Amino acid sequence: MKAYKCTTQAEKDFLKTYDASQFERPSVTADIVILTLDSSDELNILLIKRGGFPYKDYWAIPGGFLEAGKESIDEAAARELRTETNIDNVYLKQLYTFGNPNRDPRTTVVSVAYTALVPKHKLDIKAGDDASDAKLFRIKYDVNGMIFSNEEETITEDELAFDHEEIIKMAITRLRNRIDYEDDAFNLLRDKNEFTISELKRIHETIKNRTLDLPNFRKTFLRDYVATGKVIDLNKTMVAKGKPARLYKYIER
Amino acid sequence: MKAYKCTTQAEKDFLKTYDASQFERPSVTADIVILTLDSSDELNILLIKRGGFPYKDYWAIPGGFLEAGKESIDEAAARELRTETNIDNVYLKQLYTFGNPNRDPRTTVVSVAYTALVPKHKLDIKAGDDASDAKLFRIKYDVNGMIFSNEEETITEDELAFDHEEIIKMAITRLRNRIDYEDDAFNLLRDKNEFTISELKRIHETIKNRTLDLPNFRKTFLRDYVATGKVIDLNKTMVAKGKPARLYKYIER
DNA sequence: GACATTAATGGTAAAAAGTACCATAATAAA
DNA sequence: TTTATTATGGTACTTTTTACCATTAATGTC
């Protein structure tokens, strides 16, 4: 961004005496929908159990207040992701801003929501300051919407804190809409520097929630990614159960 | 959104004594990219000339501070649109939130940007409180990017206030990406209750910045909109120069 | 009124993309 | 050695997109 330069003395005086408190200000938070895939290629989300009021003991997505003046919103989101999961340099993109005045009973809170896509082995989950617990939940669906579950517990979408149900729904919908023309899926790979076509296909299947035909998936992968140079063929194979699979590397741009 | 209910006395006490000022809060604004098409079907944007510091006398997109507690961000955007153009009930959708700490020299300002699409004849442009002037500018492109011009003046994209160049670019790009699968274009029609296929085609051409084949455009329009009931055939024609054109009505959902 | 001009409408045909499905290859497990 | 499994390399069919042509119904000009 270009830097702003004062040009006149009048302006310098104005800025010096500007009363920043003339408008009542809302609190601003960066909230993050952290998504990953487990070993069965099921979509998982990181939820924290709130340690304080409001919504004490409710499960919520992690988030934190923007420290105005010290950081940008993007940086606040990255900081929150780091404190909660100990990871850095992963897919983290702004999703939407939620500004309903009643969404938080304390005061007006404007939340800028982000989506993070993380390979599961990179996650090092910690409960942050304001959380008594933090866990991954499998996301499943039934007639009433999303169900979040793991070995210990199961919660339904309407049992989440604040309007986090709405935020999560938007994150998943957005991801599903973007997957055919954006490179998002690569960020969920175990290792985007060395992966097979089948691994990538399973990610697409999870996000689209339907099975795909491997030969056809392969064809479009070769056309849209390998032929265009977005992905390079490593000329190596990986042996597993059936015929060895060729390995590819995603090129970040 | 679901309403929050206090469940315990401890929680009630907490909320009563909650100190809302424990974090330094940013100002939050709703800024609007107001787009319309002129009589030559060229894309126009409403810019205001700033009447006060910072960026006094620079052209900018209209915006206003969120009155926390009184309104949602969506409402703040609608209010700003109303004060600036005297219109209501038009396409107004959240675009992106800009939160770089240096974007405003006064204090940390988080701006939630919106895109408004308006038929030109509905616009009743007024310079608001903080503007000395408000005008429509044609958006054109050259090697250095966007050029905004009207009868009186011409400015280049880097001459705009704040980071508004970036916001406008994102609004146009988003519009262009959405136009093939969202109904956005209908909101730029002179009258979405009575329009011809050619009128809609010209809007698509402007936004995509290339010419389209009318017979093919008609075919997909009939398949995607008329056959699905999103648009109904009024069984009337409008006589102009050539063969009379059939009139259609867009059904809001 | 005949004729050129204009723009809408109703087509066809080729090209591209998407989908279904088959055959074979290379490995591990039985 | 056989069977199961998974990757790879195809073909064929369907659908969608794109290019382009012909006709129709109005206006404007001579």
Side-chain angles (χ1 to χ4, degrees), chain B residues 198 214-215 218-219 242-243 245-246:
Chain B
S198 287
L214 180 56
R218 187 171 174 277
K219 214 186 311 178
K243 181 174 177 176
R246 201 164 260 273

